[in-house]
Amino acid sequence: MFLGGHDLTRSIQENYLTFSQEARGRSRVYEILAAEVAGDPAVLAFLASLPPVKRQPNLLFAAARYLLGRPATIGSLRQLVAGRGAELAAVIQARRTQTNEPARCASLLPALMQLPQPLALLEVGASAGLTLLPDRYSYDYAGHRIAGTDPQAPVLRCDTRGPVPLPDRVPDVRWRAGLDLNPLDVTSDDDVRWLRCLLWPGEPGRGPRLEGAIATARRDPPAVHRGDLLTDLPALARQAPAGATLVIYHSAVLGYLSAAERAQFAQTVHGLDAVWLSNDVRLSPDVPVLAAGEASFHLIRDGSTLLAAADSHGAWLHWLP
Ligand SMILES: C[S@@+](CC[C@H](N)C(=O)[O-])C[C@H]1O[C@@H](n2cnc3c(N)ncnc32)[C@H](O)[C@@H]1O
C-alpha cells in the first residue's frame, strides 16, 4: 500500500507511540523520546524520507547514539537531523537492528543439557555470535550455580519458575557455527560500537553483560557465516561433524520473517537430521503457548513441543511441568 503525506506521517507517528508504550518500564529515556518524535514534524519528515524498513525507532535511536556517543534527547536528535541528516541517514542505511543478548543462553541451557552430548551448535540469526557460547558463560539460576569453561566470562543470572531441569554443568560443544544475513564481527571495534548503541538506556546489567560477552567472544571468536536461513542452512548443517548432536536454534529471529517464510524455514529444518530449539516468538498460531507474562519468548523443541516460556532477555525461565 502506498501512503502519502498525512497518512504516511500518521503511520510513523503511530509506530513511535506504540514503541513508546513498549519501552515503558524498560527505558524511560526511550519511552519519552519516542513519544516526542511522534510529535516532532522535522524528525517525522526525516523518517518519511527513508525506506519503510528503515523508519523503526530502534534503528533511529541506535544510529543517533552511534553519532552522538550517548543516547539522544529530542533536542539533540532534532539538531542531528537538521545539521547531519545525510550522515544519520547513511548510518541508518548501512546498519540493521541486530541486538545480541548473551543472557538468552540461560534460557537455552537446560534444553541443551537434555540432549545427548557432545553437541554441534548451529545458530541462525546469530548476529555477532554472543549466543553461540552457552558453554563458556557461567550461570546462576536463583542460587543454583554452574561454572562455564571460560572463568573470565560473565555469570548469566536467571530466575526459575516451574520444574526447570537445572543441569550441573555446561554442554560439551564440539562445533559451533552461526548464520546471519549480516554477521557482525566481534573483533571489529566499529561493529562492537554498533552493538553497544543497540542497548536501550536504563536497563541495568545489560551493558556490563554485553562487555563481558564481547571480551569472551574475542578470546576465541565463533564463526558466523553470511547467509540466509531460508536458503543457506542445509549447506552449513552439512559441515557439522558426525558423532555430535546437531542443534539448530535461534532467538529473536522469527520476528524478521513473514508467515510464509516461517513455514518455509520450518520445512527446511524438519528436512535436516537435527534437533531444533526455538527460543523466540511463536512460529505460528497453531503452536500452544503459556500465558506467562508479556514480552516473553517460548522455548519450543522441533517446532511443536512447548518446553517453557522465557523472558525475551533471559531474565527468567518458566518450565512446563
Ligand atoms: C535481534 S538479532 C538476534 C541475535 C541473537 N540470536 C540473539 O538472540 O541475541 C536477529 C538477527 O537475525 C538476523 N536475521 C534476520 N533474518 C535473517 C535471515 N533470513 N537469515 C539469516 N539471519 C537473519 C539479523 O541479521 C540479526 O542479526
Side-chain angles (χ1 to χ4, degrees), residues 96-101 104 123-127 131 179-182 227-230 251-253 256-257:
R96 297 154 186 257
T97 55
Q98 296 190 259
T99 309
N100 203 182
E101 175 48 77
R104 292 178 180 138
E123 184 186 14
V124 294
S127 185
T131 28
L179 183 65
D180 202 286
L181 282 179
N182 184 53
D228 191 328
L229 60 84
L230 294 174
S251 49
V253 173
Y256 292 68
L257 307 182

Side-chain angles (χ1 to χ4, degrees), residues 3 34-35 64 67 89 119 124 127 136 160 166 182 198 202 220 229 268 279 282 303 310:
L3 292 179
L67 292 178
L119 303 181
V124 294
S127 185
R136 296 209 200 142
T160 56
L166 291 174
N182 184 53
L198 285 165
D220 185 4
L229 60 84
T268 304
N279 173 41
R282 256 195 302 178

Side-chain angles (χ1 to χ4, degrees), residues 11-48:
S11 101
I12 300 172
Q13 280 177 316
E14 280 167 11
N15 194 9
Y16 276 74
L17 289 174
T18 304
F19 181 91
S20 171
Q21 283 169 6
E22 285 167 9
R24 187 167 301 159
R26 265 186 67 187
S27 173
R28 181 84 180 127
V29 172
Y30 280 179
E31 179 191 347
I32 293 170
L33 183 60
E36 287 173 331
V37 166
D40 192 291
V43 180
L44 289 172
F46 170 79
L47 287 166

